[in-house]
Amino acid sequence: MTPIVKNILDKYEGTSPAVKANLARILMHGKLGGTGKLVILPVDQGFEHGPARSFAVNPAAYDPHYHYQIAIDAGLSAYAAPLGMLEAGADTFAGQIPTILKVNSSNSWATSINQAQTGSVEDALRLGCAAIGFTIYPGSDHIFEMMEQIRALREEAEAAGLATVIWSYPRGGDISKDGELALDVGAYAAHMAALLGAHIIKVKLPSAHIEQKDAKKAYEKLDASTQAKRVAHVVQASFAGRRVVVFSGGASKGADAVYQDARDIRDGGGNGSIIGRNTFQRERGEALEMLAKLIAIYKNEE
Amino acid sequence: MTPIVKNILDKYEGTSPAVKANLARILMHGKLGGTGKLVILPVDQGFEHGPARSFAVNPAAYDPHYHYQIAIDAGLSAYAAPLGMLEAGADTFAGQIPTILKVNSSNSWATSINQAQTGSVEDALRLGCAAIGFTIYPGSDHIFEMMEQIRALREEAEAAGLATVIWSYPRGGDISKDGELALDVGAYAAHMAALLGAHIIKVKLPSAHIEQKDAKKAYEKLDASTQAKRVAHVVQASFAGRRVVVFSGGASKGADAVYQDARDIRDGGGNGSIIGRNTFQRERGEALEMLAKLIAIYKNEE
Amino acid sequence: MTPIVKNILDKYEGTSPAVKANLARILMHGKLGGTGKLVILPVDQGFEHGPARSFAVNPAAYDPHYHYQIAIDAGLSAYAAPLGMLEAGADTFAGQIPTILKVNSSNSWATSINQAQTGSVEDALRLGCAAIGFTIYPGSDHIFEMMEQIRALREEAEAAGLATVIWSYPRGGDISKDGELALDVGAYAAHMAALLGAHIIKVKLPSAHIEQKDAKKAYEKLDASTQAKRVAHVVQASFAGRRVVVFSGGASKGADAVYQDARDIRDGGGNGSIIGRNTFQRERGEALEMLAKLIAIYKNEE
Amino acid sequence: MTPIVKNILDKYEGTSPAVKANLARILMHGKLGGTGKLVILPVDQGFEHGPARSFAVNPAAYDPHYHYQIAIDAGLSAYAAPLGMLEAGADTFAGQIPTILKVNSSNSWATSINQAQTGSVEDALRLGCAAIGFTIYPGSDHIFEMMEQIRALREEAEAAGLATVIWSYPRGGDISKDGELALDVGAYAAHMAALLGAHIIKVKLPSAHIEQKDAKKAYEKLDASTQAKRVAHVVQASFAGRRVVVFSGGASKGADAVYQDARDIRDGGGNGSIIGRNTFQRERGEALEMLAKLIAIYKNEE
Amino acid sequence: MTPIVKNILDKYEGTSPAVKANLARILMHGKLGGTGKLVILPVDQGFEHGPARSFAVNPAAYDPHYHYQIAIDAGLSAYAAPLGMLEAGADTFAGQIPTILKVNSSNSWATSINQAQTGSVEDALRLGCAAIGFTIYPGSDHIFEMMEQIRALREEAEAAGLATVIWSYPRGGDISKDGELALDVGAYAAHMAALLGAHIIKVKLPSAHIEQKDAKKAYEKLDASTQAKRVAHVVQASFAGRRVVVFSGGASKGADAVYQDARDIRDGGGNGSIIGRNTFQRERGEALEMLAKLIAIYKNEE
């Protein structure tokens, strides 16, 4: 184990050796293993947007094996997906890459801002996962239920030695569309995930917008003029860097924008990217090239 | 066991030998045993539409034994029904045909788009079933609850070595009447059943209609001009054929239409039919003749 | 045990010897013991209508012992009541008549069409009951919850060797006042109780009215011109006679009407009557005389 | 044990010796021990009305020890209070008076007609209580939930050998303000408590008002002209006197009115009074004098 | 142990030695150890107001270690925080200060007046805490659920030997903005926490306003003219001083106001302060100075 990773793990106080071992599995795996940086492949878009909107542009991606294989070939840190998706390659790729079972999911037809639990800690154990993943929607009318659900699942995961990853996506209630990406909102979302006991926090890259009137004063003295500085603030809100924070790539976009995001995450002290559509909605060769470049950025080679 | 069935079972990774054995019981049973194709008899219409609308046209069908007997005599793959219906012949027909306990049900007087759990994994074990069956209504205001119910039941079934069949019927919320049969909606419904861990997926034959605006672009390049091609897309959305997918026959209709559906399912790579009203709402001789012809179609003999 | 009762019990497939033994306790008890016919005394009207409306006309009936005694003296098949009512005579009359613990109840002040669970399987065991009884209200906004409640209770009762009696009373939602007694509705209600696994089904005597538009066609060819024929249809809807079906006497009425109902039930192939207010709202002597005559009717002696 | 108490206990059929022993502890305790009559001190008004409205008039009563001490000094039958109140004197007064843990409570700011469970059977056991106490609000939109809560608690209490006291207070829904005290409503409330398995029933003294139209006919022949006769009807509705029924004193009022109520309860065959505010809102000496006189009334000495 | 603390512990009747030992850990710790007075540092404002509004004014406070360290350096009695916050320093500071796990939390985007459970008794045990902390909102539409949640958690904590601290903050429903701080409301809130079995009660310093019409008469004779007298009334409402009551410092304000509050709490017989924002929103040196002075006040040295 590298000193960098040892140093990260030491910050997880009150955490069992079993959970730390699973965090280490992720942090020591792949081409970024040992650097303290992560690139994770998430494939839950079939749930969120449906199969055709996710995979029609690159039909090979309809096959669950495709995602395991590209994550492995690209030397990524972990692969995260819902139950069926992981199960479909669980034997073939056993032991080749750490997996994260996404245990709740929404879909495009949902009539409330909520998710359904679709997997369990027992499933994660059975499939040899290193962690469970769970989404909360701060702002939603259902946030208290969601928090109580992840509270129980985290406790169960902890007892089973699994790490917990929280996707914290503000949405609904009094939060405006712009507010979903606002800096104050994103920092708050990351902080709540940390308070809930997340070992890895996943948030969106924040804009410079400040959503909450009551928060404006607090942000007056903070320099939020660049994306890297905004990343740094989110990291600060995540227990002053005591928790691993990764950022989502968002909708499919140009490669240069993806690289710039990664540089900003790196320069702001973030721990890496979770990058889904920007991976599998490109042709395999192109995607591997992009992932290689992202890894190089996180290695300070680009 | 035939190579075809062995090949299907191999795709069920992360699945226990016990569940695979129950899947094999269904795939190796009856006249289609070993072909990878299935014809299943479901009799839950008494719950859904009431006894008279289901059975008055063929009063012999009021007797639960009638359905067991015709499924056995026709050499079908499995017989699926709610608790009372299965219990009423459980001793007489024990071991003669694999059974699927339908563990939730709706009815014509329901005032919400939902179902009640009416059977359990324990019941399925007690009655010697090979699988449990469960309906979800993607689109409904209750979809998250339904998903959480099947999540728990699937986990329990898996622990007991039973397979899980999911009926995925889009309905309610923002889905239009036409949308219930739309291609994008049907493929999405099948995909969600797969993500939820279904071993066998049951959906309706899709029309060429595309319901979701956001999905239109994804379907521009897909040739959906024939029913067989639409079936192929649903199979693709079910983990690129890694899951068994069967299609429902819908309302009672002319025999030729039923045969054409089966040919399209076969040609599109679907695994077969679940055919209820088209069976028991015909006189027994006629029904046996139709089922024989369907089996011949799936054997590529017609 | 008589061949008639043996024949009835044989139809309860997939049912444990313990449950069959309790069914046999009811079917072999009292003056109708061995005939396959039943007269059951239910006293839950104190819950449903209050004590004064139920008992003021015959004040001796305020005492729970009164009901045990009359059921025993009349040679009835079983006595059904809520927890407190059964408990109040449980020692005095232990072993003298099979009892059915009514485990849910409504009341006249209810503001929703639902019932509360007020007893348990454990209570039934403690009090030496042969069965539990449970009411569902098909049509009500709460029907799915009620079904899930009886599903769990039935499973628990079955594991404890107790039989399950379901009172299936359509009410609420889209069902009109006339519809509550409609033939299609009553047959559907009986069928759902059978599907839910009821060992004894209790419904109301149906009128000739057909409530559901969609069901009209199915009833065109059915001769429903006499009450006996309507009873026969309800029996047909109860798995073609594979389940014991008893009919309620309804509000207190003239003795002749009560006798005619019993003859129709008998002639239609029903298994008997559950008769409450028509019993205890008459003076004891008169009630005993009426019950004797009902028993004679079911014995084909009148 | 006196013959009177033995006779009362004999009516609790289907009840374990452990529960009977706890009933006996209450019936044999204090100055009324052995008479079959009870005076119980309840102190839950701090929850219901707040501390100042309850105790400011007699500030010594802010101290939980005050209530234990006065109940003991007056020779009352039992002391009933919520968790914190009982806990605060549980060691000091252990074994000096039977206690009843009130396990649910409302408060003046409640926005629904319901109560929260605030204590448990386990708490009652830990504190050495003889019984649990629970309030239901027949008529309320929440009555079914309340009934299901007491059903479960009663079962648990019974298994632990504790008796169950039900406060049955009609309120909400279609019940008018006058109706809360109506004779038909009070008798119905007592009857439902009995059906729910209460060992001791607590209701309010009824007025001569009849609330339910449908009940008017039933009351035509009942002489309800005096309070004693109305008490007798409530006792009749409580299984014809097979259950212990006590009546609440209501709001603080003149001593003579309190004595008259007790005489009416006694003459109507009721088992005694639960008297809270009329006790602790008087100065200690005055309260002891009043309680002594009440006891004398129940002993037929006044 | 000092006689003062022994005397306080003796008032916790019906409480296990294990819980008393944990109360003693808090009462005997820090510079106020043994005096019966407490100063507790709570850091849940990150949940309630977000990280920037809480910590931007003193960025060192983004680091969870900062709060542990200042509580230890200032010689405070205990440190209270949500799960993630405590976990982040649990190893480093193990055994250096008693900790209280705040097991529920709200946030600024909440759309209902409620909190989510975010920690458990098991977590508190794992982290070596002396107590759990829980907020109730008397007046809220959710108060009954909150009470039932703390009831269950208190029981579980008690079984595990942990003490229970209840934050009782009236809010919502019929309570006006002024009413949240009203004297009658605050005394009632403290009383309900005591009834719920809280070992330590936390309320806000009350104003002289009386909110409830029905309570006005009860307060006519009470002298509430000074803050110390109002504190004395809240202590009286907390079982006449049988429970430890601490008061919150509220929003950040001038140091003199903070000192005056502490003097009033002391003079009114309160047990101390819970002081969060007034601590960590000051620069560390200034905060330590203030805490030292507060401790001196509680020691009667200022």
Side-chain angles (χ1 to χ4, degrees), chain A residues 253-259 275 277-279 282 284-297:
Chain A
K253 54 186 169 182
D256 287 346
V258 172
Y259 301 145
I275 181 161
R277 279 172 287 175
N278 275 300
T279 300
R282 283 179 163 80
R284 185 178 144 91
E286 200 186 330
L288 283 171
E289 198 180 330
M290 168 180 280
L291 291 168
K293 180 138 180 185
L294 282 176
I295 285 167
I297 290 169

Side-chain angles (χ1 to χ4, degrees), chain C residues 47 92 111 117 120 126, chain D residues 13 141 148 155 158 188 242:
Chain C
F47 243 133
T92 302
T111 59
Q117 189 189 338
S120 69
R126 181 168 58 84
Chain D
E13 307 191 17
D141 291 345
E148 299 200 338
E155 182 173 289
E158 193 135 333
Y188 199 161
R242 291 183 182 276

Side-chain angles (χ1 to χ4, degrees), chain C residues 43-56 59 62-65 82-85 87-93 103 105-123 126-127 149, chain D residues 11-15 20 138-145 147-148 151 154-155 158-159 170 173-175 184-189 191-192 194-197 199 211-212 214-215 218-219 222 233 236-240 242-243:
Chain C
V43 188
D44 53 353
Q45 290 77 3
F47 243 133
E48 308 291 325
H49 307 292
R53 285 173 64 197
S54 302
F55 309 130
Y62 279 110
D63 185 344
H65 280 207
L83 180 80
M85 210 72 175
E87 243 182 1
D91 291 336
T92 302
F93 302 99
V103 294
S105 297
S106 187
N107 62 71
S108 342
W109 299 323
T111 59
S112 63
I113 300 180
N114 199 352
Q115 300 213 339
Q117 189 189 338
T118 57
S120 69
V121 169
E122 203 173 309
D123 289 322
R126 181 168 58 84
L127 298 173
Q149 222 168 357
Chain D
K11 290 177 181 155
Y12 288 83
E13 307 191 17
T15 303
K20 288 190 184 183
S140 150
D141 291 345
H142 296 277
I143 184 60
F144 289 147
E145 299 157 42
M147 283 182 172
E148 299 200 338
R151 189 213 66 73
R154 176 199 46 75
E155 182 173 289
E158 193 135 333
D174 300 330
I175 299 179
D184 59 326
V185 170
Y188 199 161
H191 188 65
M192 288 203 283
L195 289 170
L196 289 165
H199 300 105
E211 171 82 355
Q212 299 170 285
D214 291 344
Y219 280 96
L222 191 93
H233 175 60
Q236 182 185 43
S238 304
F239 292 171
R242 291 183 182 276
R243 293 293 171 263

Side-chain angles (χ1 to χ4, degrees), chain B residues 80-231:
Chain B
L83 180 81
M85 210 72 173
L86 282 194
E87 244 181 1
D91 291 335
T92 302
F93 303 99
Q96 299 188 35
I97 187 166
T99 53
I100 299 166
L101 180 62
K102 188 74 200 323
V103 294
N104 69 343
S105 295
S106 187
N107 63 71
S108 341
W109 299 323
T111 59
S112 62
I113 300 181
N114 199 353
Q115 301 213 340
Q117 190 189 337
T118 57
S120 69
V121 169
E122 204 173 307
D123 289 322
L125 285 172
R126 181 169 57 84
L127 298 174
C129 300
I132 57 164
F134 189 93
T135 298
I136 55 172
Y137 292 141
S140 150
D141 291 346
H142 296 276
I143 185 61
F144 289 148
E145 298 156 42
M146 296 182 105
M147 283 183 172
E148 298 199 339
Q149 223 169 355
I150 182 54
R151 189 211 68 70
L153 287 165
R154 176 199 46 75
E155 182 172 290
E156 205 187 329
E158 193 137 334
L162 299 178
T164 294
V165 184
I166 296 183
W167 274 239
S168 193
Y169 284 1
R171 189 167 300 175
D174 300 330
I175 299 179
S176 72
K177 206 65 202 165
D178 279 355
E180 292 181 5
L181 295 177
L183 178 57
D184 58 326
V185 169
Y188 199 161
H191 188 66
M192 288 202 285
L195 288 171
L196 288 165
H199 301 105
I200 298 177
I201 296 165
K202 180 184 174 317
V203 288
K204 296 190 176 172
L205 279 166
S207 72
H209 175 60
I210 301 299
E211 172 83 356
Q212 299 170 287
K213 256 191 210 167
D214 291 346
K216 288 221 155 75
K217 199 167 168 329
Y219 280 96
E220 268 169 15
K221 290 189 200 158
L222 191 91
D223 179 1
S225 58
T226 69
Q227 184 162 264
K229 285 175 180 165
R230 296 193 294 269
V231 164

